[in-house]
Amino acid sequence: MSCQLNEGNFLRQFRDAESREISKLSAAQFMQVWEHYDEDGNGFIEGVELDGFLKEFVSSVNPDGTTSSQVSDKELAELKESFMEAYDDNKDGKIEIRELAQLLPMEENFLLLFRFDNPLDSSVEFMKIWKMYDTDHSGFIEADELKNFLRDILKGASKSQEVTEDTLIEYTDTMLNVFDTNKDGKLQLSEMAKLLPVKENFLTRQIFKGSTNITKEDIESVFSLYDRDNSGTIENEELSGFLKDLLSLAKKDYDSSDLTEFEDTIMKGCDSNKDGKISRKELTMILIALSEQS
């Protein structure tokens, strides 16, 4: 059995007429490709979307638009396995926008935006960046703040080429179009977390699910991940990062007010000495509770 290719191949328009290579995409063109294949707008190309993208990626080499090129189910499975091995960095079986950015040729400066500390070591680093650019302390990264963030990325990554204000505005609009899922013109915590993902939410590991016994080594691994300054307590951005990871287990979409409310609830129940920090003993209580609820 073979999968018949769609005559209206969307990617074919971006291939050079002679070389058949995909031409370097502008920010706007990349956005068109992303929106075309992320049909449900959930921030991933997955399932039938991914199958459709891969089939069109291969068949778009054919310049005449005919359907003579077919991809069998076996060939598609092999192609998908090779493709995901190369580009699915976090091995979740889906393609995120920054993963697609590594595949398609793009204008250099726009591509650099997807390579900033990719991904972050932990949510502690994320919260430090969040607080640095949320300059008005509104609990959101608004358009001007996002533009400043993107400007700083490009300054650090491309010292030889100055980015114009118009280009920065275009990049900011594109990023908002991609990551501002509720379309309020700014990024809340969960939206910014997609732009700046962490390598792994350690709290999703199997050891914290069900009745598995949590060892002293497990506790120490989590504690050292968040206690970045080795002070012996989890506090400030360390605490915010830990609670962000904990909150994301329960809520897909969340903002700063959700995090504040969540922090009040957790600390009221677990901060036994009321110092506004989390000790090893208090962390143990939280992780045991997490395991029992999973």
Side-chain angles (χ1 to χ4, degrees):
M1 178 180 176
S2 63
C3 303
Q4 187 72 35
L5 297 169
N6 187 350
E7 290 186 13
N9 188 307
F10 188 77
L11 282 177
R12 187 172 286 120
Q13 65 185 300
F14 301 111
R15 287 197 181 273
D16 182 88
E18 295 186 2
S19 70
R20 304 311 302 159
E21 293 182 356
I22 292 181
S23 303
K24 190 171 288 188
L25 303 180
S26 67
Q29 289 172 327
F30 178 76
M31 185 63 204
Q32 288 174 16
V33 173
W34 176 260
E35 289 185 331
H36 179 80
Y37 291 104
D38 179 23
E39 295 180 16
D40 59 7
N42 72 341
F44 301 99
I45 297 176
E46 57 184 328
V48 294
E49 298 171 342
L50 181 56
D51 291 347
F53 169 76
L54 291 174
K55 287 187 285 185
E56 291 200 359
F57 184 79
V58 172
S59 65
S60 62
V61 178
N62 183 357
D64 60 10
T66 65
T67 59
S68 58
S69 298
Q70 294 182 341
V71 180
S72 70
D73 289 344
K74 181 180 178 182
E75 289 170 334
L76 179 62
E78 291 173 351
L79 173 63
K80 192 171 185 178
E81 182 179 354
S82 299
F83 181 84
M84 299 304 279
E85 179 67 29
Y87 296 104
D88 184 20
D89 295 331
N90 59 4
K91 308 303 178 189
D92 63 354
K94 303 180 276 193
I95 293 298
E96 299 175 357
I97 192 166
R98 63 180 47 249
E99 292 167 341
L100 185 67
Q102 309 309 314
L103 167 68
L104 299 178
M106 293 193 296
E107 56 183 85
E108 183 180 354
N109 282 325
F110 189 63
L111 178 60
L112 290 172
L113 300 179
F114 293 97
R115 291 182 171 170
F116 171 73
D117 285 350
N118 178 24
L120 298 176
D121 283 337
S122 77
S123 285
V124 178
E125 279 69 37
F126 173 87
M127 292 309 303
K128 287 179 180 178
I129 292 170
W130 174 270
K131 290 184 178 181
M132 182 185 303
Y133 288 97
D134 179 21
T135 52
D136 62 359
H137 308 294
S138 66
F140 298 93
I141 300 296
E142 287 138 342
D144 283 347
E145 295 167 335
L146 179 59
K147 186 174 70 172
N148 291 336
F149 170 67
L150 299 180
R151 178 188 287 114
D152 288 348
I153 292 177
L154 294 174
K155 274 185 180 178
S158 182
K159 296 180 174 60
S160 61
Q161 187 175 355
E162 188 68 26
V163 181
T164 67
E165 191 69 13
D166 286 345
T167 299
L168 267 176
I169 291 172
E170 179 191 358
Y171 289 174
T172 301
D173 289 344
T174 301
M175 290 299 193
L176 280 173
N177 206 2
V178 173
F179 294 102
D180 177 24
T181 52
N182 62 6
K183 304 304 177 187
D184 61 358
K186 53 193 176 184
L187 297 183
Q188 63 184 29
L189 268 174
S190 58
E191 293 167 343
M192 188 69 171
K194 290 180 180 177
L195 173 58
L196 282 179
V198 299
K199 286 180 182 176
E200 177 191 18
N201 182 346
F202 200 82
L203 303 180
T204 62
R205 290 193 174 186
Q206 191 62 39
I207 55 174
F208 304 117
K209 297 178 180 178
S211 59
T212 303
N213 291 327
I214 300 176
T215 67
K216 185 177 180 181
E217 289 73 23
D218 296 331
I219 303 295
E220 193 57 41
S221 294
V222 176
F223 195 85
S224 61
L225 177 68
Y226 294 101
D227 180 24
R228 307 297 279 188
D229 60 4
N230 298 312
S231 66
T233 57
I234 297 173
E235 56 187 319
N236 301 322
E237 286 92 352
E238 300 168 346
L239 179 59
S240 298
F242 170 68
L243 293 173
K244 169 189 163 292
D245 285 347
L246 202 57
L247 177 61
S248 68
L249 300 180
K251 294 190 73 171
K252 178 183 176 183
D253 300 312
Y254 52 89
D255 58 23
S256 291
S257 62
D258 293 322
L259 185 62
T260 299
E261 183 179 331
F262 187 64
E263 179 175 351
D264 291 343
T265 301
I266 293 294
M267 298 304 281
K268 189 177 293 183
C270 300
D271 183 19
S272 53
N273 60 0
K274 307 302 178 187
D275 63 353
K277 308 172 187 178
I278 292 180
S279 65
R280 281 178 174 81
K281 182 179 179 181
E282 291 163 346
L283 178 67
T284 303
M285 293 169 54
I286 295 172
L287 294 181
I288 289 175
L290 172 64
S291 176
E292 291 174 346
Q293 291 174 12
S294 297

